[in-house]
């Protein structure tokens, strides 16, 4: 189970991307964090401590190796097993990807050390928010091109499914949700339906709690975690460490428009930390004393290039 420290790390890494896609939806950051905790938190909470680079952590956020075990038992959706997958167009290529993903992830996550010994086992869920292989037929590129390794792709598909959950619950017109209402949407997201008589005791049961109960608990836990407190960036020279680059914004928050994306390795001077929101820092790109905008502090690291020490890698 991800802890508060794990959630803080997750918010530091992905808060800007998540908050950037939430306008116009009734969801908030903690709701999306809860989904990530339930779907792959048992993986990224382990991988971040190995430690591994962020792009590798994203690549290894895969899971769900359950096969069909008979009517009403095990996996019922496509593909029920290896044979069903390889019978499809590009199925063998997909199996090879799904099998390697399992092998690579199992190196670091002890819970998969047993199942990986079966050569017919493979992962059915891909990405931080776990898009299922049942969608392979309608969107093969997401899986074959391994788009799930990019946070933006898995986030987009999560929102699509959550919107489907809103429709199932009849919440399309809502501009905000209570935590309980969101949890019912998440249950519909997970199982495709919601039974009002069962409350939160719906979705996958792990022997301890149901999916719905876990989601509600994770939302509550996430609301206690302040990601801003963990950003340790002060005035001085820093470098961008975000693999996909870091957006330079006109103000301290994702509500402000961005003027450009600073590539990985870009060096800059942090002039000040925003007092009301220490997630954000004001920066000088040219080191000429002029202010250029704001960036999210969690994607900066102390520069060790020309201003002292080893070189920062140049953008590819």
């Amino acid at each position: 189970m991800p802890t508060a420290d794990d959630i803080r790390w997750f918010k530091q890494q992905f808060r800007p991307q998540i908050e950037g896609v939430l306008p116009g939806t009734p969801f908030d950051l903690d709701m999306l964090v809860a989904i990530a905790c339930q779907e792959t938190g048992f993986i990224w909470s382990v991988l971040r401590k190995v430690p591994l680079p962020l792009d590798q952590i994203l690549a290894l956020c895969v899971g769900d190796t359950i096969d069909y075990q008979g009517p009403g038992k095990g996996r019922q959706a496509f593909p029920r097993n290896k044979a069903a997958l390889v019978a499809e167009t590009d199925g063998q290529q997909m199996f090879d990807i799904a099998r390697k993903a399992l092998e690579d992830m199992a190196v670091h996550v002890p819970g998969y050390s047993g199942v990986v010994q079966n050569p017919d086992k493979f992962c059915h869920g891909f990405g931080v928010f776990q898009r299922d292989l049942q969608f392979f037929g309608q969107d093969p590129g997401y899986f074959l091109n391994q788009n799930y390794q990019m946070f933006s792709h898995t986030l987009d598909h999560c929102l699509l499914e959550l919107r489907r959950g809103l429709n199932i619950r009849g919440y399309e017109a809502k501009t905000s949700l209570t935590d309980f209402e969101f949890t019912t949407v998440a249950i519909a997201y997970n199982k495709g339906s919601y039974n009002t008589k069962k409350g939160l005791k719906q979705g996958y049961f792990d022997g301890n709690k149901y999916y719905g109960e876990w989601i509600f608990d994770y939302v509550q836990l996430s609301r206690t975690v302040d990601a801003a407190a963990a950003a340790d960036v002060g005035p001085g020279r820093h470098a961008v460490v975000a693999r996909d680059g870091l957006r330079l914004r006109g103000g301290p928050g994702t509500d402000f428009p961005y003027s450009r994306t600073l590539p990985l390795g870009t060096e800059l001077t942090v002039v000040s930390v925003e007092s009301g929101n220490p997630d954000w820092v004001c920066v000088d790109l040219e080191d000429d004393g002029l202010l250029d905008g704001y960036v999210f502090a969690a994607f900066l690291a102390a520069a060790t290039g020309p201003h002292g020490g080893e070189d920062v890698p140049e953008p590819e």
Side-chain angles (χ1 to χ4, degrees):
M1 173 179 176
T3 65
D5 284 342
D6 295 321
I7 290 174
R8 181 174 293 107
W9 172 88
F10 189 87
K11 286 184 176 182
Q12 287 179 330
Q13 307 306 315
F14 304 116
R15 180 176 177 177
Q17 290 124 298
I18 293 174
E19 291 187 336
V21 300
L22 293 181
T25 78
F27 309 122
D28 63 31
L29 173 65
D30 294 307
M31 294 172 179
L32 273 292
V33 169
I35 297 287
C37 284
Q38 174 59 18
E39 296 292 350
T40 56
F42 66 99
I43 295 174
W44 49 258
S45 66
V46 172
L47 299 180
R48 79 175 187 88
K49 298 166 189 169
V50 171
L52 294 174
L54 186 59
D55 62 324
Q56 192 170 351
I57 292 175
L58 290 172
L60 296 180
C61 280
V62 294
D64 184 5
T65 60
I66 299 174
D67 287 336
Y68 178 72
Q69 299 168 13
K73 297 180 180 180
R75 185 176 180 84
Q76 302 297 306
F78 170 87
R80 290 184 169 184
N81 50 36
K82 176 183 176 180
L85 178 58
V86 298
E88 297 295 312
T89 302
D90 297 320
Q92 183 62 54
Q93 180 185 355
M94 186 65 244
F95 172 80
D96 293 341
I97 291 172
R99 174 64 193 178
K100 187 175 187 305
L102 170 61
E103 293 172 348
D104 291 345
M105 181 266 288
V107 169
H108 304 287
V109 183
Y112 284 88
S113 59
V115 71
V116 76
Q117 302 303 316
N118 182 340
D120 291 334
K121 287 288 189 178
F122 60 100
C123 289
H124 295 263
F126 296 84
V128 170
F129 299 101
Q130 290 289 274
R131 193 174 194 212
D132 194 270
L133 265 181
Q134 65 180 294
F135 298 104
F136 177 65
Q138 69 185 60
D139 188 11
Y142 175 83
F143 303 97
L144 294 175
N145 298 331
Q146 300 177 62
N147 292 339
Y148 59 86
Q149 297 184 10
M150 298 179 61
F151 187 78
S152 59
H153 282 263
T154 185
L155 176 60
D156 285 346
H157 288 293
C158 175
L159 284 177
L160 284 174
E161 291 303 303
L162 284 175
R163 289 190 179 97
R164 182 173 62 85
L166 287 174
N167 293 335
I168 292 173
R169 295 293 293 124
Y171 292 162
E172 304 95 318
K174 282 184 173 288
T175 57
S176 65
L177 299 170
T178 66
D179 290 347
F180 180 84
E181 288 173 335
F182 169 71
T183 303
T184 69
V185 171
I187 291 171
Y189 161 98
N190 175 250
K191 64 190 297 286
S193 62
Y194 177 76
N195 186 334
T196 57
K197 295 180 180 180
K198 293 184 177 181
L200 301 186
K201 294 183 181 296
Q202 298 181 65
Y204 178 70
F205 181 66
D206 64 3
N208 182 25
K209 294 181 181 180
Y210 286 88
Y211 182 94
E213 294 174 304
W214 278 118
I215 289 290
F216 186 80
D217 286 351
Y218 282 133
V219 173
Q220 298 296 297
L221 177 59
S222 183
R223 296 210 185 281
T224 71
V225 177
D226 179 10
D232 186 19
V233 174
R237 292 294 287 181
H238 292 78
V240 174
V241 293
R243 181 179 180 85
D244 295 327
L246 181 60
R247 288 178 173 178
L248 178 70
R249 295 185 179 273
T254 55
D255 291 338
F256 292 89
Y258 71 95
S259 57
R260 57 188 286 198
T261 298
L262 308 177
L264 170 68
T266 299
E267 288 199 12
L268 48 78
T269 297
V270 171
V271 178
S272 63
V273 178
E274 183 68 11
S275 60
N277 187 358
D279 278 355
W280 296 86
V281 292
C282 186
V283 301
D284 171 3
L285 299 180
E286 306 297 334
D287 205 17
D288 57 5
L290 299 178
L291 304 182
D292 293 293
Y294 291 79
V295 298
F296 193 67
F299 292 115
L300 296 177
T304 54
H307 291 259
E310 300 174 354
D311 290 333
V312 175
E314 290 294 326
E316 298 178 355

